[in-house]
């Protein structure tokens, strides 16, 4: 299944690549939430191909009506994670596809067609970047750790969310090496998996943002939890906290202070 998924996703990547270098018409789903015709085109292509090949799975996708979708056995699609980057030609953007069996992660694929980087994982089989095995960083000193985060779309309309973002940055930044905010949750999780970042946290993410990346990180030896250090639950938890495992406890402590 994974090999066929990759073939389809790479084909969809051609649409992303073409669109990245083209003039774009941009629509707004919310004050800061963009969508382009390329998001829709990639999603429609993936759904059409997946529906033909993988009939046992429900399809859950960012730009679709998911109100009647069953999570149990599903393929969760983000056609372009990092649409703002895509629109502005920042090459930190990707297709994210997570396959779930009985609500548990089974396969994760994140493909950045601009940089031609394909991250993949299957449960209990390890994580790979362009066919090469990847593992998390072994850094255990929080002060030497590079941490990634993201800013929710609600920061433009919800004062509580904005205040929480600023409060957590003020806690984390003095205690770590530095903070990065590159604008794709799927890729941020993969960057922890490959050892570029030691940790990552963000609020208000959707299931399609992280469904693939969290498995890739776990298979690379990393850890993913809620802010309360419980198992992270798609569709439910407000915060995701991810790390190489070595700094996880301290990252949670700093965030919760």
């Amino acid at each position: 299944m994974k090999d066929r998924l990759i073939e389809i996703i790479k084909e969809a990547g051609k649409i992303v690549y073409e669109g990245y270098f083209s003039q774009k018409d941009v629509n707004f789903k919310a004050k800061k939430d963009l969508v382009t015709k390329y998001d829709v085109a990639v999603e429609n292509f993936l759904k059409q191909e997946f529906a033909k090949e993988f009939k046992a799975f429900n399809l859950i996708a960012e730009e679709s009506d998911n109100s009647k979708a069953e999570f149990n056995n599903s393929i969760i699609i983000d056609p372009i994670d990092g649409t703002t980057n895509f629109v502005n030609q920042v090459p930190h953007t990707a297709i994210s596809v997570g396959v779930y069996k009985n609500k548990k992660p089974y396969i994760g694929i994140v493909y950045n067609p601009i940089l031609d980087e394909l991250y993949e994982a299957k449960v209990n089989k390890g994580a790979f970047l362009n066919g090469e095995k990847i593992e998390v960083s072994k850094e255990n000193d929080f002060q030497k750790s590079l941490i990634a985060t993201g800013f929710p779309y609600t920061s433009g309309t919800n004062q509580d969310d904005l205040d929480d973002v600023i409060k957590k940055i003020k806690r984390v930044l003095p205690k770590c090496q530095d903070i990065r905010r590159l604008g794709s949750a799927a890729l941020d999780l993969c960057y922890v998996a490959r050892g570029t970042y030691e940790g990552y946290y963000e609020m208000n993410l959707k299931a399609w943002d992280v469904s693939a990346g969290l498995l890739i990180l776990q298979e690379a030896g990393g850890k993913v939890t809620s802010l309360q250090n419980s198992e992270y639950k798609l569709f439910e938890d407000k915060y995701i906290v991810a790390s190489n495992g070595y700094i996880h406890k301290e990252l949670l402590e700093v965030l919760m202070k």
Side-chain angles (χ1 to χ4, degrees):
M1 180 181 184
K2 178 160 68 70
D3 290 345
R4 183 61 184 134
L5 282 165
I6 289 170
E7 287 177 12
I8 295 168
I9 290 164
K10 283 202 163 186
E11 196 64 32
K14 295 176 183 177
I15 304 172
V16 178
Y17 190 87
E18 176 192 334
Y20 183 83
F21 295 102
S22 302
Q23 187 69 35
K24 302 168 194 70
D25 294 321
V26 178
N27 295 305
F28 285 80
K29 293 186 283 185
K31 184 176 179 181
K32 294 189 175 190
D33 196 358
L34 312 180
V35 63
T36 72
K37 68 179 183 181
Y38 296 100
D39 296 80
V40 177
V42 171
E43 181 167 295
N44 287 342
F45 175 81
L46 292 173
K47 287 177 67 178
Q48 175 184 306
E49 295 302 312
F50 291 165
K52 287 191 293 190
E53 300 264 353
F54 310 114
K55 293 182 170 63
F57 291 86
N58 299 300
L59 302 179
I60 298 173
E62 180 174 10
E63 309 305 336
S64 300
D65 178 4
N66 300 302
S67 58
K68 296 180 181 178
E70 295 274 343
F71 172 41
N72 200 27
N73 293 311
S74 54
I75 301 176
I76 304 175
I77 302 164
D78 193 336
I80 302 180
D81 187 51
T83 301
T84 301
N85 287 342
F86 172 77
V87 167
N88 291 282
Q89 292 193 336
V90 178
H92 198 71
T93 187
I95 298 169
S96 172
V97 175
V99 181
Y100 280 66
K101 283 188 173 182
N102 299 316
K103 299 186 178 180
K104 298 292 184 183
Y106 177 60
I107 293 171
I109 300 165
V110 175
Y111 180 48
N112 179 343
I114 313 307
L115 301 179
D116 194 26
E117 292 181 343
L118 180 87
Y119 300 87
E120 56 172 296
K122 186 175 179 179
V123 68
N124 299 324
K125 299 293 185 183
F128 300 85
L129 165 57
N130 291 345
E132 298 290 325
K133 191 171 175 59
I134 55 175
E135 294 181 348
V136 294
S137 157
K138 300 296 191 290
E139 182 60 64
N140 61 9
D141 185 341
F142 196 81
Q143 190 66 67
K144 296 177 182 176
S145 297
L146 187 60
I147 307 297
T149 190
F151 307 143
Y153 294 131
T154 54
S155 62
T157 55
N158 185 314
Q159 189 64 45
D160 288 341
D161 283 355
L162 177 60
D163 290 345
D164 201 25
V165 166
I166 301 303
K167 181 172 67 175
K168 284 179 169 50
I169 287 175
K170 286 178 74 174
R171 289 173 181 164
V172 174
L173 185 55
K175 295 182 181 299
C176 69
Q177 184 186 20
D178 208 345
I179 292 178
R180 294 288 179 268
R181 192 274 193 238
L182 291 181
S184 164
L187 285 171
D188 287 339
L189 288 165
C190 290
Y191 274 41
V192 181
R194 65 188 262 183
T196 300
Y197 302 145
E198 276 70 44
Y200 163 72
Y201 69 93
E202 190 168 348
M203 69 153 68
N204 292 355
L205 292 169
K206 303 295 187 184
W208 40 81
D209 298 319
V210 300
S211 65
L214 63 82
L215 177 63
I216 292 166
L217 173 54
Q218 288 168 337
E219 287 296 315
K223 186 170 184 176
V224 180
T225 70
S226 70
L227 196 59
Q228 290 71 38
N229 201 24
S230 56
E231 179 185 356
Y232 178 77
K233 294 180 180 175
L234 288 181
F235 303 101
E236 294 182 30
D237 284 317
K238 185 176 179 67
Y239 264 96
I240 188 170
V241 182
S243 79
N244 61 0
Y246 298 96
I247 63 148
H248 203 87
K249 183 171 179 285
E250 189 166 357
L251 177 57
L252 287 170
E253 287 172 355
V254 172
L255 290 170
M256 289 290 283
K257 275 182 182 174

